[in-house]
Amino acid sequence: MLYDFRSFVNPGRYAFGKGSFNHLGELINKQKNENNDWVVYMIDTFFKDKDEVINRIPTNEKDLFIWIDPKDEPKTILVNEYRDKILAHQNTLPAVVVGMGGGTAMDYSKATALMVTNPGDSKDYQGLDLIKNEGIYNICIPTIAGTGAEVSMTAVLSGPEKKLGIKCDYTIPNEVIFDPELLATVLDSDRFYTGMDCFIHNVESLNGTWINAMGKAFAEKSNELCEEVFTNKISNRLKADEQMMVASIMGGNSITYAQVGVCHALSYGLAVVLGTHHGVGNCIVFNQLQDYYPDGYKMFKKMQALQGVEIPSGITANCTDEQLDQMVEVSWALEHMWNNVFGPDWKNHINKPTIKDLFKRM
Ligand code: NAD
Ligand code: ZN
């Protein structure tokens, strides 16, 4: 065994298929009781003026809407603010916290639902098993597919010191609604970047030293589904979106049972120093990883060409030496990822100048 024993959790309930969003009200009502009878909706700002979606949400005057701007990735300071807002909203706790959007809105909802019942600053819970109390019942509704945040035990947060997840058994959503119709409006570029997060999760787990039969089965099937979608084997967009939602679930599980690798270690460096978003950041990094993942790289370039999506380049061209060094330090600190890539003697296989050189090429 290369890593510590752990018995993993999955979401408690899944609702899957076109039209399942229409049943949100029924699912919420099951969680309400005399005291806890209201709901917090944390929704991606994209939907703010999309009446055709928002009007289908079963709202009540007691409920609280928090619009999540995905411009920046989730921050501990905002999680604390949202928690304070929720506690001030009514004299009782909410019955449900709904997170609707991409990885950003879902991770905000997962973290905030926990911080309502755990005192203090969310930055102090970044790490493994630091949360003491179960959170408010959390329903996630993905509206873009790929991160696997809807099935993961992690809410990834950027704090004053680090980008690190709150990870524990309670960080898992209690329930997930997968409705492919909600993905219809996603832009081609966002669809590709977030979809590639899933593809890269699979490539990194399959090529890592921590892989086992469970992670392998999820990753292989997930990449088969991803590749069908992004090599345009499925012409119907709704069918393709439905399939990518399954790929995302399986990709998320592949890293639960294995681990990510070089691409994620480096893209965290870009995120912390330049604020580069996860999906596009992974694509920028993966574009330079042909030596580390030659087969995955080939397929990635094929899918990119077929989708006609540009991968930004030159983003580190104006970085100072200090900024590059800071990126290297952020990446270097992600020991578990390097350990997965090369094994426990990973420091014999990679060094800081090599990582710095990779950053300079981006
Ligand atoms: P995102 O949530 O930022 O969304 C990407 C873009 O798509 C945004 O502009 C958003 O407004 C738009 N969008 C979403 N749904 C849409 C729709 N239906 N129509 C039109 N536009 C839509 O990006 P993401 O890639 O889903 O998530 C990235 C975040 O997920 C990062 O913060 C990353 O750290 C986190 N993440 C978490 C995990 C985990 O296990 N918890 C895993 C991977 C990534
Ligand atoms: Zn990822």
Side-chain angles (χ1 to χ4, degrees):
M1 183 64 87
L2 289 164
Y3 49 93
D4 293 337
F5 170 79
R6 181 154 199 128
S7 175
F8 297 106
V9 223
N10 262 159
R13 308 182 77 99
Y14 294 83
F16 191 91
K18 179 179 163 211
S20 46
F21 180 56
N22 293 334
H23 298 270
L24 176 61
E26 295 157 38
L27 304 183
I28 285 173
N29 285 339
K30 281 194 200 161
Q31 305 308 322
K32 286 187 178 173
N33 59 43
E34 220 172 284
N35 291 325
N36 312 105
D37 61 350
W38 60 284
V39 181
V40 178
Y41 292 100
M42 305 184 77
I43 304 184
D44 189 305
T45 43
F46 169 81
F47 291 102
K48 204 167 181 176
D49 58 356
K50 306 291 176 298
D51 291 348
E52 63 284 8
V53 173
I54 296 305
N55 291 342
R56 289 161 68 197
I57 293 178
T59 48
N60 183 294
E61 58 193 13
K62 280 185 147 184
D63 297 345
L64 174 66
F65 271 76
I66 297 175
W67 295 102
I68 301 296
D69 184 349
K71 188 166 56 67
D72 292 322
E73 294 194 334
K75 304 243 172 310
T76 52
I77 190 163
L78 279 179
V79 170
N80 300 340
E81 263 179 41
Y82 296 149
R83 182 263 318 274
D84 295 345
K85 215 170 167 176
I86 292 169
L87 290 176
H89 188 65
Q90 301 284 354
N91 295 326
T92 58
L93 293 181
V96 179
V97 174
V98 174
M100 178 167 162
T104 306
M106 291 192 287
D107 273 2
Y108 263 125
S109 79
K110 287 161 69 177
T112 308
L114 283 175
M115 290 310 299
V116 170
T117 55
N118 287 275
D121 191 322
S122 57
K123 78 174 166 52
D124 298 329
Y125 295 100
Q126 283 180 285
L128 193 59
D129 294 327
L130 300 172
I131 289 279
K132 301 277 179 298
N133 309 313
E134 196 169 349
I136 303 296
Y137 194 89
N138 174 236
I139 300 181
C140 277
I141 310 175
T143 64
I144 182 169
T147 64
E150 67 279 12
V151 294
S152 86
M153 289 167 60
T154 309
V156 184
L157 300 181
S158 297
E161 286 137 33
K162 53 198 171 196
K163 176 173 175 175
L164 185 67
I166 294 183
K167 180 168 183 176
C168 70
D169 287 1
Y170 299 136
T171 325
I172 200 86
N174 297 88
E175 192 152 13
V176 190
I177 298 179
F178 295 92
D179 189 333
E181 280 185 320
L182 295 172
L183 278 64
T185 42
V186 177
L187 297 175
D188 288 348
S189 52
D190 287 335
R191 185 168 176 259
F192 180 74
Y193 297 146
T194 300
M196 286 305 102
D197 189 24
C198 176
F199 175 77
I200 294 165
H201 289 160
N202 299 325
V203 170
E204 291 186 309
S205 56
L206 284 170
N207 288 281
T209 62
W210 292 18
I211 194 70
N212 58 22
M214 189 85 146
K216 184 167 180 280
F218 278 124
E220 283 176 349
K221 186 66 192 177
S222 175
N223 262 1
E224 189 187 313
L225 300 175
C226 258
E227 288 167 18
E228 277 179 8
V229 168
F230 290 109
T231 56
N232 299 333
K233 291 220 170 78
I234 305 171
S235 52
N236 179 301
R237 169 73 187 250
L238 184 71
K239 279 220 164 82
D241 284 344
E242 185 171 44
Q243 181 156 319
M244 260 320 286
M245 294 185 116
V246 182
S248 176
I249 298 170
M250 302 186 98
N253 273 298
S254 83
I255 46 173
T256 293
Y257 291 97
Q259 184 52 256
V260 290
V262 184
C263 186
H264 276 72
L266 268 62
S267 90
Y268 272 37
L270 293 181
V272 171
V273 179
L274 299 178
T276 315
H277 263 55
H278 190 68
V280 69
N282 277 343
C283 288
I284 292 168
V285 177
F286 204 75
N287 216 14
Q288 302 302 334
L289 295 185
Q290 57 270 49
D291 293 344
Y292 296 86
Y293 303 111
D295 295 339
Y297 176 81
K298 239 184 262 164
M299 177 50 76
F300 171 75
K301 295 306 285 181
K302 180 177 172 182
M303 294 188 286
Q304 184 209 344
L306 285 167
Q307 295 306 311
V309 171
E310 286 288 316
I311 313 268
S313 59
I315 67 156
T316 57
N318 295 323
C319 284
T320 61
D321 214 41
E322 286 73 36
Q323 282 180 307
L324 288 166
D325 285 337
Q326 199 194 342
M327 287 176 200
V328 173
E329 290 308 325
V330 171
S331 301
W332 191 256
L334 295 161
E335 289 194 25
H336 53 294
M337 300 185 192
W338 297 113
N339 187 318
N340 172 44
V341 178
F342 299 113
D345 65 338
W346 61 271
K347 286 184 184 156
N348 295 333
H349 298 269
I350 187 90
N351 55 45
K352 293 184 184 180
T354 306
I355 298 177
K356 191 166 175 177
D357 185 53
L358 282 168
F359 277 124
K360 282 187 189 163
R361 286 193 238 157
M362 295 172 194

